[in-house]
């Protein structure tokens, strides 16, 4: 029953999150520890994110394919850093068809190895490059502390895998796909992410360079729902992905990989949600407009239903994702709370008085209470609602941007101030990127470097920890 | 190199199949025995099948959701027939995060059990029914003898799972989804399937009744790529899926499940393919029209390319899936063979003479050689090609229907004739459905009952094997 009161964010942010996920019917715990069941409403949100990504992948020349769930254990051992990074997290199949397996099979934690194996078979000449692949798949990482969408043993994602002739082309691809993610965050999910490069300590196991998009959640922690990696020639050498160049010389290819997962759903919840529940960005909301006809008795219902039905048909025919709520056995207040909990951007109420006046009541989810409600003529409602959906997108994006910017503090050189800032927000400061300095920050603050933002003025400064001269600033924050 | 000659169907149908799958770049073997890699062209075909199904599932009120890959071993034991059916085929995870698991996890072979567990939590009252779910997922069944698409250890599918208040509603749903499959076979894949009920021996492990669509492949074997099951109350009782009815009495629900898998790709290949390779039904073909500009030198290329580009843009803008092949380094003949191998329904050739004449050459894949090629004015080409795509759909469907009907033979009462027919085609005859009779047919003919067709005249006859009076005819065939 989603109209029950949920924990407030101020009281306990973590419980608020779990309450919202469950009361809004996004997901549920599974009988296997650490796994989740994605319920229809949560899955519809994920499908809209998928669609937004998939069309962009195709527009940038990528093709979908599918590689096996099971990877021979020996494959993982071929790339040293990769196996070190993933070994502790593996689920292993040892029995198949009732018999002990000769070579144990790893359930894919990610697919660089099995795709590297295939690329080596498929690529012969420079004419076969670039090879631009993507796969929609489930992956498994054995996690001890899990939370719905944010960290689950099995999760859904897409993983792009590409091969190129040169380092620069691979780097360009890595950044292009980071840009695609940024676009989806910004223009679909109304999340103002920050693009940047991960430190050596935080990069992907086996990558040359990793990039991420960091977003600030409502409790000011950072969340990374996607990464893009320039894998250099590490996997090309481990799996012998080679091509003959235009001079007939044998070369190793340069590969990339990039992924965005169901974690993104968590980012949407924690960027926009409030104490009444979800607030969904209109462009990916499974339901953009809910129509609630109101009638105390059959007579009133006979008046309002034809108007409600006609509006439903009109919106549906014009590509608006619309729902008609005819649960007359429930009170209007209960239903309003219910749809607010589920974060539907616009609620249209139609009562007998509205029918007489030729109006409807329109309530926008992003503006709470009476301020967000207005009476609008039934005539011309479609363009009005379409514009309002756009306005709500802009409003959510603006609110998230203001919240983010008011909690990122630049600090020049005082480590004490830096630590103070990290108690409550994000710090932006000069950082040498060394493992020692990173470890000290982590120990002192339970925070890490999130990334070196790409959009920063070049200059020189002193590392906030060790004072060494360096030429880049990093963002630091506590993180999910 | 797809223009190499492939094994002919007459010489070795099984090798022909594998040759086509590999030469047309549909799929490849994986390093794990029995698994496959679905290559971009094969995956694009699957995506089109997915889309055709998914939109129909949604139009009939189903919602997508996602349930975990791993199922506790104890869940499978709850339904007796189910565990007996699937036990020999399971892949089992015994190690997670480096440690031996207390309860071993089965990689889902199908999800009735885990979804049954969830339904029991989600369903309380008759108001929660019907519950109409679908999931797109990978499943694993440990198969010893595997073939690309037809029988692989891991495969992709959708599995629908629904719960209803009564037997009749569950039966109606089971048949409705069988109808959806039939529609996709017929109207998207140009495959004339035959709807029918499986015998008790051939039904799903745990079902009350199973239905299938049987299609005749080019070697006259039967292939079943989808099934729809009325599960009765078997899983509802095993997982306590109960609801309170309108009189406040506690009742077990009635459930269904239905699935269509990547086997469907195999059905498309073997229904329509010929000795030149694939022949893809236009409505699901990844590429519907390929344009091949022809020019021996730069001068000629300068003439043909603008026409080819303009046509490409026009077709693309009008929703035709089109490919422009500008590989001038390859001979036209090579390219024609290549696109024939890949089964592209229409090839448009544009040479310098065509430019002068204001024509193009249009070759249809379903009519071999010169008979299928004609010169068509460039003007008005778009509507011509759109109509031709529809014609090709009709032509493939007609050819497949004629082939099927000429190899199904009705036999009244002579077991010897029946066995003769089964050497070369399908037999349609009275069948009592008993395990004994089924076993005898299998032993004598390596064939089984495929289904009792739904569209048959009612009557009475004597079982072809034992002579007992019975009231239904069944189809018998050798099968994949």
């Amino acid at each position: 029953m989603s109209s029950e009161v949920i924990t407030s964010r101020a009281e306990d942010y973590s419980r608020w999150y779990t309450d919202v996920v469950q009361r809004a019917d996004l997901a549920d715990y599974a009988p296997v520890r650490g796994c989740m069941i994605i319920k229809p409403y949560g899955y519809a949100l994920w499908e809209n994110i998928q669609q937004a990504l998939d069309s962009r992948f195709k527009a940038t020349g990528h093709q979908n394919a599918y590689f096996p769930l099971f990877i021979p254990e020996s494959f993982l051992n071929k790339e040293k850093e990769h196996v070190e990074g993933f070994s502790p997290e593996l689920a292993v199949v040892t029995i198949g068809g009732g018999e002990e397996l000769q070579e144990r099979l790893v359930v894919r934690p990610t697919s660089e190895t099995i795709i590297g194996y295939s690329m080596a078979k498929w690529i012969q000449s420079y004419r076969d490059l670039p090879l631009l692949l993507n796969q929609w798949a489930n992956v498994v990482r054995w996690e001890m502390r899990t939370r719905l969408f944010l960290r689950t043993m099995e999760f859904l994602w897409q993983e792009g895998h590409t091969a190129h002739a040169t380092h620069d082309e691979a780097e360009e691809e890595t950044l292009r796909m980071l840009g695609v993610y940024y676009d989806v965050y910004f223009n679909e999910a109304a999340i103002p992410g920050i693009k940047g490069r991960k430190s050596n300590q935080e990069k992907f196991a086996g990558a040359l360079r990793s990039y991420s998009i960091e977003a600030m959640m409502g409790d000011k922690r950072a969340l990374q729902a996607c990464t893009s990696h320039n894998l250099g020639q590490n996997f090309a050498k481990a799996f012998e992905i080679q091509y003959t160049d235009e001079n007939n010389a044998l070369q190793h290819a340069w590969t990339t990989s990039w992924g965005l997962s169901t974690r993104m759903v968590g980012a949407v919840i924690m960027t926009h949600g409030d104490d009444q529940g979800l607030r969904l960005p209109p462009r990916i909301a499974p339901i953009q407009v809910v129509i609630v006809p109101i009638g105390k008795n059959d007579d009133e219902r006979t008046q309002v239903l034809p108007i409600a039905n006609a509006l439903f048909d009109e919106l549906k025919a014009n590509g608006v994702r619309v729902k008609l709520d005819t649960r007359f056995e429930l009170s209007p207040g209960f239903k309003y709370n219910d749809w607010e909990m589920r974060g539907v951007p616009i609620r249209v109420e139609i009562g007998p008085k509205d029918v007489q006046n030729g109006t409807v009541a329109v309530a926008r989810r992003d503006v709470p209470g009476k301020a967000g409600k207005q009476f609008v003529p039934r005539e011309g409602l479609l363009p009005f609602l379409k514009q309002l959906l756009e306005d709500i997108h802009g409003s959510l994006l603006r609110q998230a941007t203001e919240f983010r910017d008011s909690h990122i503090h630049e600090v020049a050189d005082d480590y004490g101030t830096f630590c103070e800032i990290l108690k409550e927000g994000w710090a932006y400061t000069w950082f040498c990127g060394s493992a020692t300095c990173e470890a000290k920050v982590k120990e002192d603050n339970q925070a890490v470097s999130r990334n070196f933002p790409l959009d920063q003025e070049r200059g020189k400064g002193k590392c906030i920890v060790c004072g060494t001269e360096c030429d880049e600033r990093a963002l630091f924050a506590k993180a999910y």
Side-chain angles (χ1 to χ4, degrees), chain A:
Chain A
M1 282 294 137
S2 58
S3 73
E4 288 167 32
V5 174
I6 55 171
T7 312
S8 75
R9 288 167 298 166
E11 190 188 333
D12 184 341
Y13 195 83
S14 166
R15 267 192 57 196
W16 168 84
Y17 175 79
T18 309
D19 283 356
V20 171
V21 170
Q22 297 195 293
R23 301 282 172 81
D25 271 336
L26 294 175
D28 204 351
Y29 290 104
V32 171
R33 197 191 53 76
C35 287
M36 76 173 156
I37 292 162
I38 307 181
K39 297 177 85 170
Y41 195 55
Y43 198 82
L45 180 56
W46 174 240
E47 279 184 316
N48 289 340
I49 294 168
Q50 282 189 299
Q51 187 109 52
L53 288 165
D54 199 68
S55 59
R56 285 165 172 85
F57 295 158
K58 284 173 178 159
T60 46
H62 301 82
Q63 294 185 298
N64 287 333
Y66 187 78
F67 295 84
L69 173 70
F70 295 148
I71 301 177
E73 203 171 26
S74 59
F75 275 40
L76 266 87
N77 298 324
K78 291 197 179 190
E79 214 293 329
K80 189 173 153 292
E81 285 184 19
H82 193 66
V83 69
E84 283 172 10
F86 283 102
S87 276
E89 301 185 355
L90 299 176
V92 187
V93 174
T94 62
I95 295 171
E99 290 183 12
E100 191 100 8
L101 301 182
Q102 289 200 313
E103 177 167 15
R104 311 194 309 177
L105 299 175
V106 165
V107 182
R108 66 180 159 221
T110 179
S111 303
E112 279 75 10
T113 57
I114 190 108
I115 295 182
Y117 162 92
S118 299
M119 283 181 166
K121 285 177 68 180
W122 298 349
I123 295 169
Q124 313 292 333
S125 123
Y126 68 93
R127 285 196 202 86
D128 301 323
L129 298 175
L131 180 60
L132 308 174
L133 299 175
N134 178 60
Q135 137 169 310
W136 290 97
N138 54 345
V139 288
V140 170
R141 297 178 189 175
W142 208 267
E143 301 277 2
M144 293 312 288
R145 292 166 56 189
T146 58
R147 300 191 58 196
L148 295 168
F149 290 115
L150 299 178
R151 194 175 289 279
T152 47
M153 190 166 94
E154 180 192 12
F155 56 89
L156 304 184
W157 76 347
Q158 59 66 221
E159 44 180 323
H161 294 270
T162 69
H164 306 264
T166 67
H167 166 274
D168 289 1
E169 284 174 36
E171 183 71 8
E172 197 185 314
E173 166 78 5
T174 308
L175 291 172
R176 179 184 304 119
M177 300 324 286
L178 190 72
V180 164
Y181 290 146
Y182 178 84
D183 175 25
V184 169
Y185 269 66
F186 196 87
N187 288 311
E188 303 283 347
I191 299 177
I194 297 176
K195 287 185 280 189
R197 201 183 73 252
K198 302 298 278 186
S199 73
N200 272 332
Q201 293 68 246
E202 296 287 318
K203 74 176 186 189
F204 178 74
L208 190 61
R209 270 189 294 283
S210 289
Y211 298 88
S212 71
I213 291 174
E214 302 291 332
M216 187 186 285
M217 301 297 102
D219 62 350
K220 290 161 247 159
R221 285 181 183 257
L223 186 124
Q224 157 196 313
C226 66
T227 45
S228 186
H229 314 293
N230 183 336
L231 301 173
Q233 294 182 309
N234 294 338
F235 287 89
K237 285 181 177 163
F239 288 91
E240 296 174 357
I241 309 172
Q242 292 180 293
Y243 70 97
T244 48
D245 67 15
E246 285 170 290
N247 305 315
N248 224 21
L250 204 58
Q251 305 278 4
H252 282 103
W254 298 77
T255 64
T256 83
S257 69
W258 28 276
L260 182 147
S261 74
T262 35
R263 259 203 142 189
M264 183 73 181
V265 175
V268 169
I269 298 165
M270 290 196 290
T271 299
H272 301 303
D274 67 14
D275 288 349
Q276 277 67 55
L278 279 179
R279 299 196 308 169
L280 291 181
R283 295 179 190 169
I284 54 172
I287 302 170
Q288 297 175 308
V289 176
V290 61
I291 303 169
V292 185
I294 298 159
K296 283 191 294 289
N297 48 49
D298 281 353
D299 180 43
E300 290 188 0
R301 289 170 199 171
T302 314
Q303 291 174 55
V304 298
L305 269 176
I307 311 283
N309 282 323
L311 179 60
F312 175 84
D313 291 343
E314 185 189 0
L315 295 181
K316 195 169 177 185
N318 284 278
V320 178
R321 295 190 289 274
V322 59
K323 168 97 183 171
L324 180 63
D325 183 354
T326 52
R327 296 175 294 172
F328 286 111
E329 70 277 15
L330 302 174
S331 74
F334 180 96
K335 287 189 277 192
Y336 299 169
N337 289 340
D338 191 30
W339 295 115
E340 281 174 8
M341 178 67 68
R342 289 164 202 267
V344 175
I346 299 176
R347 184 180 71 241
V348 175
E349 306 159 13
I350 308 179
K353 269 191 192 153
D354 298 307
V355 175
Q356 285 166 25
N357 298 337
T359 57
V360 301
V362 174
R364 48 191 290 181
R365 178 65 181 88
D366 62 322
V367 180
K370 286 199 172 157
K373 196 157 163 177
Q374 57 185 312
F375 289 88
V376 178
R378 170 65 185 85
E379 188 107 7
L381 196 56
L382 173 70
F384 177 86
L385 293 177
K386 282 204 161 182
Q387 183 55 50
L388 186 55
L389 288 170
E390 288 308 295
D391 293 349
I392 293 171
H393 173 84
S395 152
L396 289 176
L397 186 56
R398 197 165 48 247
Q399 288 178 48
T401 308
E402 282 168 12
F403 182 82
R404 179 196 75 180
D405 291 346
S406 65
H407 293 102
I408 300 181
H409 303 286
E410 185 158 359
V411 49
D413 53 10
D414 185 63
Y415 188 70
T417 309
F418 172 78
C419 295
E420 274 307 304
I421 289 167
L422 283 177
K423 287 185 184 158
E424 271 300 312
W426 293 16
Y428 179 50
T429 190
W430 300 101
F431 177 45
C432 72
S434 75
T436 326
C437 290
E438 184 111 61
K440 179 167 167 55
V441 172
K442 197 168 187 173
E443 199 186 315
D444 294 346
N445 306 283
Q446 291 80 52
V448 289
S449 74
R450 300 311 304 163
N451 66 31
F452 294 96
L454 297 185
D455 300 326
Q456 64 174 282
E457 266 178 71
R458 295 285 135 178
K460 294 274 178 202
K462 289 187 168 150
C463 172
I464 190 71
V465 189
C466 66
T468 314
E469 194 176 81
C470 52
D471 55 8
E472 273 185 306
R473 277 161 291 208
L475 278 172
F476 288 85
K478 291 176 178 155
Y480 280 97

